[in-house]
Amino acid sequence: MLSYFYNCTEIEQINRICKTLNELKKRLMNENYNDPKKEYNLSLKLFEEVTKIAIERKNEKLANAQYVFRNYFLMFSNLMSYFELLNEKKYKESWGRLQDCIDEAQYVGKFSENRFDIPNILELLRQYENLYPYKLFASSEYVITKSHCSICGKSMQSLQCQHIKGNIYWGEPAVELIDEIREIQAVCIVSNPEDKRCVLEIANDERDEVDRFKKLDLYLELGLPRLQKFSIKSVVENKRIEIGKVNRNDKCPCGSKLKYKKCCGKELYYQHEKNMVILEDIVKLFFKNDVML
């Protein structure tokens, strides 16, 4: 879909969209994240015009390609917004935006044989994902009693609906819209759900945002380019608690009135996690005709 859209060079609106996306990518490479939706919003009318042209030409492939390319464009806008949130140390808020980027990258990749820079971007996003403390998520199961197709309005379980959930028809995705839920059957705690937005956190956690996202904050403090791919190698080390020179039979310096060997001297070591950053290639963004316009 991406290649097809890029190759429709006879349509002026598509050329303008591609040029605007190149400008956004150039800003992304230069780490200029101001007004992340600027280029995307400027192109929305152009996307609508491409859809009208596709309908006039009875070209469903073009209509579908513009929808996929619009999500491709939106992914870069959200990526820019994500990096802006990181710079502002809004780490909790950034998690949802990161998931938006991952969803869009996976969705566009599903409909495109030539995915250009998407695989490298998706790999980078997964690397950032590993810097967050979130390990467990809630996943709900519902009993749905009534729903309808977003395109034809009929039940997607009936023979009357000819649309396949997730497919695109004339630039519109077929989505099952829920009208009625009878009950919530279960809420499961899982480690790798399809949607990772419902995270489980410690109740009454009074730590500030930097402390709660220490691993992410320490990585960002290195000042590496945001498009720098990396991996983290974690090593657990045993470290000795330093409390000065104390004999085993002396009173413990903690004030417990016990002998040192029966108090703090019982546990002289603690486990310390050491994280080593291994740098990889910087993500190279694709520009139309391989030229930054």
Side-chain angles (χ1 to χ4, degrees), residues 42-255:
L42 287 172
S43 299
L44 284 177
K45 187 177 180 181
L46 295 173
F47 278 114
E48 293 173 1
E49 291 174 1
V50 173
T51 302
K52 290 179 181 178
I53 292 171
I55 294 172
E56 290 172 359
R57 297 183 180 182
K58 298 182 180 180
N59 187 342
E60 185 177 9
K61 186 175 182 179
L62 176 59
N64 294 343
Q66 75 78 28
Y67 180 79
V68 173
F69 199 90
R70 188 190 305 188
N71 279 271
Y72 177 64
F73 202 131
L74 180 60
M75 178 191 70
F76 286 103
S77 290
N78 281 330
L79 183 58
M80 185 176 286
S81 176
Y82 172 65
F83 290 152
E84 183 180 42
L85 289 172
L86 292 184
N87 286 350
E88 296 172 353
K89 294 186 180 294
K90 295 179 180 179
Y91 299 147
K92 185 174 182 178
E93 184 180 347
S94 73
W95 175 257
R97 190 54 46 82
L98 174 61
Q99 297 307 311
D100 292 342
C101 295
I102 291 173
D103 287 348
E104 285 149 6
Q106 291 177 326
Y107 184 80
V108 174
K110 175 183 174 182
F111 292 99
S112 303
E113 291 182 5
N114 188 340
R115 298 186 294 165
F116 299 107
D117 39 22
I118 289 180
N120 281 326
I121 290 172
L122 187 55
E123 182 183 354
L124 176 69
L125 296 173
R126 293 297 188 193
Q127 290 166 345
Y128 274 104
E129 192 177 47
N130 289 332
L131 294 173
Y132 287 79
Y134 302 134
K135 303 301 178 186
L136 296 175
F137 309 88
S139 178
S140 302
E141 296 179 5
Y142 303 94
V143 177
I144 299 169
T145 52
K146 189 177 180 182
S147 64
H148 68 275
C149 171
S150 61
I151 296 178
C152 66
K154 299 173 183 176
S155 172
M156 298 193 87
Q157 280 70 48
S158 71
L159 295 176
Q160 293 176 312
C161 177
Q162 301 297 312
H163 303 105
I164 300 173
K165 190 186 330 185
N167 281 7
I168 309 172
Y169 301 87
W170 288 102
E172 184 179 349
V175 179
E176 183 181 14
L177 300 176
I178 309 302
D179 299 312
E180 184 177 282
I181 297 175
R182 188 175 70 190
E183 63 179 336
I184 299 177
Q185 210 167 36
V187 177
C188 305
I189 298 175
V190 294
S191 59
N192 192 30
E194 185 176 347
D195 187 347
K196 294 182 178 179
R197 289 173 177 81
C198 191
V199 300
L200 297 182
E201 297 183 279
I202 300 173
N204 302 320
D205 190 345
E206 296 181 353
R207 292 176 298 167
D208 62 29
E209 199 143 351
V210 171
D211 282 340
R212 280 186 291 150
F213 298 88
K214 194 68 176 178
K215 193 173 182 179
L216 174 62
D217 187 69
L218 287 173
Y219 172 77
L220 297 176
E221 286 296 317
L222 296 175
L224 298 170
R226 293 291 180 260
L227 292 174
Q228 172 78 61
K229 289 198 294 181
F230 62 93
S231 60
I232 303 292
K233 183 178 180 181
S234 298
V235 178
V236 177
E237 299 177 330
N238 288 324
K239 285 201 169 185
R240 192 178 191 280
I241 300 173
E242 299 295 338
I243 58 173
K245 292 183 179 180
V246 182
N247 294 321
R248 286 172 52 79
N249 291 313
D250 290 346
K251 287 185 177 180
C252 189
C254 73

